Amino acid sequence: MSMQMPGMLYLVATPIGNLGDISLRAIETLRQVDFIAAEDTRVTLKLLNFLEIKKQLVSFHEHSSRESGEKILTRILNGESCALVTDAGMPCISDPGEDITRMCGEAGVTITVIPGPCAAVTALALSGLPSGRFVFEGFLSTARKSRFERLEELKTEERTMIFYEAPHKLMRTLHDMLNAFGDRRVSISRELTKLFEETRRFTLSEAVSHFEESPPRGEFVLIIEGTQKSPVSTLPINDAVSMTKKYIESGLSVKDAVKTVAEQTGVSKNTLYNAVIKE
């Protein structure tokens, strides 16, 4: 006899490609709950058919999150149990599931997670880039101004950065990252756990060249190297000033000359600028 589950919310991770990655605990939970809330019921139905599970599916996506979330919450408060799933991977990670989770939390509903696949950490493990400290950025904004501002903010981020991107936007993203970050190391994974899974490790400029020749296909995860800490300069300030003057004499503005020398030597830009204009 199956154990009766109390009314609560289960966040259930689902495969990101290979259906064999579904966990035994996830299967049991999907069988036991009263209903399943899905980002796209058509996608989830394929998984349920594979698992030979018949269960009521209700839609929960970003365009109806408030209205459908309230209906789901009401059912849970009335004693039913719900499994929340996304199309692939962990619910609430770059996913509208965070809305229903917040609503349930605020209402005092018990919430638990059935962990499993996640494209972000899968790609990070494959990247070979530092994984001790990282930051997940998800999808960049499609609005040019917001996109530019976010990349500018991330220029000084020292942790490894994780981004998601669609194939038709990949080239623009790579160009924007190259302009913002310079030619850093990047690992690019696509179709993770699927038949044509591929991970390539480049610099950003090499990635641009590659995808200009081989049009992007599939969903991508980009792992970007963080910025390196500037070394503490041991160069005497007088020597740095002399270097800056030579750049100015060659035609650079004071601002550009100071920036160039500061980047080359690690001398503080403000300290160097003040020293130069006092000469």
Side-chain angles (χ1 to χ4, degrees):
M1 179 180 294
S2 298
M3 180 179 65
Q4 182 64 39
M5 304 173 80
M8 58 188 293
L9 178 67
Y10 295 82
L11 307 179
V12 181
T14 54
I16 58 177
N18 191 321
L19 296 182
D21 290 336
I22 189 77
S23 73
L24 293 176
R25 188 174 169 219
I27 294 171
E28 183 64 17
T29 301
L30 293 174
R31 284 179 176 155
Q32 292 291 339
V33 294
D34 294 303
F35 67 103
I36 298 171
E39 181 183 6
D40 187 329
T41 56
R42 296 165 299 180
V43 173
T44 302
L45 183 59
K46 292 178 183 178
L47 175 63
L48 295 182
N49 288 339
F50 172 76
L51 299 174
E52 298 183 344
I53 294 174
K54 291 187 177 180
K55 192 69 59 174
Q56 182 191 14
L57 286 168
V58 298
S59 178
F60 184 83
H61 51 79
E62 61 181 338
H63 301 299
S64 65
S65 61
R66 189 68 199 176
E67 181 181 352
S68 56
E70 289 175 350
K71 292 179 180 177
I72 292 168
L73 176 58
T74 297
R75 292 183 63 173
I76 295 173
L77 292 175
N78 286 334
E80 292 187 81
S81 56
C82 171
L84 176 67
V85 299
T86 186
D87 289 350
M90 180 62 70
C92 308
I93 306 301
S94 194
D95 171 75
E98 64 181 89
D99 294 331
I100 183 62
T101 302
R102 181 176 60 255
M103 291 169 66
C104 286
E106 291 172 350
V109 170
T110 300
I111 305 170
T112 192
V113 174
I114 314 300
C118 176
V121 294
T122 301
L124 177 63
L126 284 166
S127 72
L129 291 170
S131 58
R133 297 173 66 239
F134 60 89
V135 56
F136 176 69
E137 286 291 322
F139 290 94
L140 285 168
S141 172
T142 56
R144 184 169 180 78
K145 184 174 183 291
S146 297
R147 182 188 188 85
F148 174 78
E149 289 175 349
R150 186 60 189 147
L151 288 174
E152 283 295 306
E153 290 171 357
L154 290 169
K155 285 173 68 171
T156 57
E157 175 58 66
E158 295 177 5
R159 293 169 293 181
T160 300
M161 296 173 283
I162 305 175
F163 297 86
Y164 288 163
E165 194 51 277
H168 63 285
K169 298 177 182 175
L170 181 65
M171 287 304 297
R172 184 179 71 167
T173 294
L174 290 173
H175 278 291
D176 289 348
M177 287 178 170
L178 180 59
N179 289 334
F181 300 150
D183 203 12
R184 296 191 196 173
R185 290 185 296 167
V186 56
S187 173
I188 302 179
S189 296
R190 72 181 188 95
E191 300 295 272
L192 286 168
T193 77
K194 299 179 184 177
L195 182 61
F196 298 106
E197 175 183 318
E198 180 181 41
T199 293
R200 289 179 175 269
R201 301 167 187 86
F202 311 94
T203 63
L204 281 167
S205 63
E206 290 170 343
V208 168
S209 297
H210 171 77
F211 288 108
E212 283 177 344
E213 297 178 2
S214 303
R217 294 180 180 178
E219 299 300 314
F220 289 86
V221 185
L222 286 70
I223 312 296
I224 309 289
E225 179 180 38
T227 189
Q228 302 299 307
K229 283 186 177 180
S230 299
V232 177
S233 176
T234 58
L235 184 71
I237 190 64
N238 289 339
D239 291 345
V241 170
S242 297
M243 288 178 63
T244 306
K245 285 183 176 180
K246 290 180 180 178
Y247 278 113
I248 295 171
E249 289 169 0
S250 70
L252 286 184
S253 66
V254 173
K255 181 180 178 181
D256 288 341
V258 166
K259 179 181 178 182
T260 300
V261 174
E263 290 175 349
Q264 290 177 347
T265 65
V267 172
S268 163
K269 282 195 295 185
N270 289 338
T271 300
L272 180 56
Y273 180 82
N274 290 333
V276 169
I277 61 175
K278 287 180 181 178
E279 289 286 318

